[in-house]
Amino acid sequence: MQSTRKTGARRHQRNPSPTDGQKDDPRPPSIRILLVDDQIIFRETFRAWLTSNPDTEVVGEASNVRDAMHLAGTLHPTLVLTEICFSRNHGIEGIREMKSRYPGIKIVALTAYLSETSVQAALQAGASGLLEKRGSLEEVRSALDNVTKGKTYLCARAAEIVAQGYKDKGKSPLEVLSPREHEALRCIAGGMRNKDIAMHLGIGVNTVEKHR
């Protein structure tokens, strides 16, 4: 285990389960999570809560974007839970670079300061979820569940900011959608999976994810 004082990065070893090695394990696969935040107390709090859930596993922690990139490449997390308000906007750039290098990794962004700019920047960079740090743990649980299923999750405040942005422009969100985007939205509302929507519309899965 590497010292967080030297590198700001830490990888975790999962304790063996009594069922490890069995072929017919009925449990769902765990969500492998990489925590990225420069506040140690935040990481410790989230790690304690996440590891108390049987279907989530914290595989590593990083205090900066550079270490997060390294750990993402070596630990292969399912999801990255990351702060976006690092100095000089490194959090947003980190999300963009993470999605460029590892497009299969889902990203849920966290911040204590939501604004229209931060919401738009995080979503455009590739985040699939956006949460306020002051939100409840139940909301984090909902975000993890939805994002790992290929959906987008916005906390109530972020969704309000998005809606207000359209309202200020004199248009509803639906008015600015193309016919193809309308159809994608209809499929999403119907509960279709990204892969099925892509096949139905003849578009790529990545394009479907951008519509969510």
Side-chain angles (χ1 to χ4, degrees), residues 8-12 31-37 42-43 46 50 57-83 98 102 105-108 110 144:
R10 176 183 295 174
R11 64 179 69 201
H12 298 291
I31 304 173
R32 295 169 53 82
I33 298 173
L34 173 62
L35 292 175
V36 186
D37 196 285
F42 171 81
R43 298 200 312 269
F46 259 68
L50 289 167
E57 175 187 0
V58 178
V59 297
E61 301 173 32
S63 62
N64 57 69
V65 172
R66 181 193 61 190
D67 289 338
M69 292 298 165
H70 172 70
L71 290 179
T74 58
L75 300 178
H76 310 294
T78 309
L79 183 145
V80 174
L81 194 60
T82 180
E83 167 66 81
M98 183 79 70
Y102 315 110
I105 294 178
K106 302 295 184 182
I107 298 177
V108 174
L110 290 154
L144 297 181

Side-chain angles (χ1 to χ4, degrees), residues 100-172:
S100 176
R101 291 192 188 184
Y102 315 110
I105 294 178
K106 302 295 184 182
I107 298 177
V108 174
L110 290 154
T111 182
Y113 309 102
L114 276 177
S115 66
E116 183 175 359
T117 300
S118 65
V119 171
Q120 290 181 349
L123 295 177
Q124 290 174 359
S128 296
L130 192 58
L131 296 171
E132 283 188 289
K133 279 190 170 181
R134 64 182 179 181
S136 67
L137 293 177
E138 289 76 11
E139 188 168 46
V140 177
R141 175 77 265 179
S142 294
L144 297 181
D145 289 343
N146 280 276
V147 168
T148 53
K149 292 175 182 176
K151 300 179 181 179
T152 296
Y153 187 94
L154 299 180
C155 66
R157 176 58 181 154
E160 180 183 343
I161 288 173
V162 171
Q164 186 63 46
Y166 283 112
K167 183 178 179 181
D168 290 343
K169 295 174 184 177
K171 295 182 178 181
S172 73

Side-chain angles (χ1 to χ4, degrees), residues 180 184 194-211:
R180 178 61 62 85
N194 286 353
K195 183 178 180 180
D196 296 331
I197 296 173
M199 292 180 63
H200 175 67
L201 298 178
I203 58 179
V205 174
N206 289 340
T207 302
V208 177
E209 291 181 349
K210 291 179 181 178
H211 289 325

Side-chain angles (χ1 to χ4, degrees), residues 80-95:
V80 174
L81 194 60
T82 180
E83 167 66 81
I84 61 175
C85 291
F86 289 113
S87 62
R88 291 178 292 181
N89 210 34
H90 282 176
I92 296 297
E93 292 304 317
I95 293 174

Side-chain angles (χ1 to χ4, degrees), residues 38-51:
D38 56 0
Q39 297 181 9
I40 295 177
I41 190 170
F42 171 81
R43 298 200 312 269
E44 290 180 344
T45 299
F46 259 68
R47 185 201 326 138
W49 177 74
L50 289 167
T51 54

